[in-house]
Amino acid sequence: MAALNQGDRIPELRVTPDKYLPHRYAGASGDFNPIHIDEQFARQVGLPRNILHGLWTMAQVARAQTEAAGGDPRALRRLAVQFRGMGVPEEEIVVSGTVRERDGDRVVVATEAHQDGSGIVRNAEAELVLG
Amino acid sequence: MGVSTAVVGKEYPATSYEVGLEKIREYANAVGQAEPVHHDRGAARAAGFRDVVAPPMFAVVYSAPALGPAILDPEVGIDFAAMVHGGQEFVWGEPVCAGDEITTRARVREIYQRDDKGFYVFESVSTNQHGDEVVRGTWTNIVRGV
């Protein structure tokens, strides 16, 4: 488990979604919006290509928190995010975060996800309770 | 033009979702959660769970169906072509495990306008078969050009 005192950075999570990840996430989540799984459709509506599901990216932010807390899913009590910009497959995503406050076992982390230098999840805040 | 706040507080019919073990595994694989508690019954029980436990963000799988009728409600009046998912919050309670029966209720929490953007905020509350709250979601959809 990371130290997680005020001002500490959580371990960075780096993940590169492969070309077919949005299809697998569509099946797993039930969100088959064609902007995520149909490259041609996405271009027709003005997107650069098919884009990642925002909630998949949020799940990466969540995973970075539970991994920092030692892998126990019960540690994550709250996660609030704002979606900005669009994530795309086949480019690395980096989730980072800094402990904003610590009070006993309760930790608040300011966190975000970047891809190619721009934020795709911004102003996110996670609350963890360490076991 | 502009947004109408007449439907703030409106509630929608509850949905129910029975959590399957293979669905948890499928979801965990799609989001990269390799921890054994999300895949293996023995590991989950050894860690104190009733059965294989869902990753926290599995909340979208069982709670999103309750949101559909709210977002599609003509009285809410969202223009889908101009809508983006602007923000999301989850507050977790009891863990969700394979075999759980989850009930989710959704309502319109808030509608407001900032410049030419409409903010449509929905709340979902999910409980398990024992009546324990498992997650509370706040879903913010932003519509441009209202």
Side-chain angles (χ1 to χ4, degrees):
Chain A
M1 193 189 301
L4 301 182
N5 291 309
Q6 190 174 345
D8 286 346
R9 301 185 62 77
I10 65 168
E12 265 184 3
L13 183 150
R14 291 175 176 268
V15 56
T16 303
D18 67 73
K19 182 177 180 180
Y20 300 109
L21 179 278
H23 298 75
R24 294 197 303 280
Y25 183 80
S29 69
D31 180 352
F32 287 91
N33 186 328
I35 62 173
H36 302 303
I37 54 177
D38 185 335
E39 182 151 9
Q40 193 177 5
F41 177 88
R43 290 188 200 279
Q44 280 167 4
V45 297
L47 296 168
R49 62 169 296 178
N50 60 312
I51 62 171
L52 298 174
H53 295 76
L55 290 167
W56 178 84
T57 306
M58 184 178 178
Q60 304 313 303
V61 176
R63 183 158 73 90
Q65 315 307 315
T66 52
E67 288 183 2
D72 188 339
R74 288 167 290 205
L76 183 60
R77 301 301 172 90
R78 184 174 70 86
L79 179 62
V81 307
Q82 292 179 359
F83 297 113
R84 292 290 180 273
M86 291 167 290
V88 294
E90 299 182 283
E91 284 186 38
E92 186 180 60
I93 290 171
V94 180
V95 181
S96 58
T98 304
V99 176
R100 180 175 280 159
E101 55 180 272
R102 172 146 192 184
D103 179 11
D105 291 337
R106 182 180 162 277
V107 175
V108 177
V109 180
T111 182
E112 54 191 16
H114 285 81
Q115 188 176 49
D116 195 22
S118 63
I120 55 174
V121 167
R122 301 265 294 274
N123 297 322
E125 188 174 87
E127 190 176 322
L128 307 172
V129 173
L130 306 178
Chain B
M1 293 301 281
V3 300
S4 166
T5 59
V7 293
V8 171
K10 184 171 178 179
E11 296 178 357
Y12 297 86
T15 59
S16 75
Y17 184 95
E18 187 177 330
V19 180
L21 169 57
E22 294 295 350
K23 194 69 192 178
I24 291 177
R25 287 180 177 147
E26 179 190 12
Y27 180 86
N29 285 331
V31 298
Q33 300 260 192
E35 295 87 347
V37 290
H38 303 308
H39 298 270
D40 180 71
R41 184 166 274 153
R45 290 192 171 146
F49 299 105
R50 295 183 299 283
D51 204 325
V52 164
V53 65
M57 284 297 295
F58 187 79
V60 303
V61 177
Y62 57 76
S63 63
L67 272 294
I71 292 169
L72 291 165
D73 185 351
E75 287 185 26
V76 174
I78 288 179
D79 171 9
F80 294 102
M83 185 185 89
V84 296
H85 190 178
Q88 183 69 45
E89 179 181 49
F90 286 116
V91 177
W92 286 277
E94 280 296 304
V96 168
C97 296
D100 282 0
E101 185 82 34
I102 308 297
T103 300
T104 301
R105 291 180 172 80
R107 69 182 184 100
V108 183
R109 190 168 108 175
E110 194 179 8
I111 298 175
Y112 60 96
Q113 188 169 348
R114 196 181 289 157
D115 302 322
D116 71 334
K117 294 193 184 84
F119 290 74
Y120 298 82
V121 184
F122 302 92
E123 182 178 75
S124 63
V125 178
S126 301
T127 53
N128 67 16
Q129 64 277 18
H130 304 299
D132 300 321
E133 187 169 308
V134 295
V135 84
R136 185 172 291 255
T138 305
W139 314 64
T140 302
N141 292 299
I142 303 174
V143 177
R144 293 197 175 80
V146 294

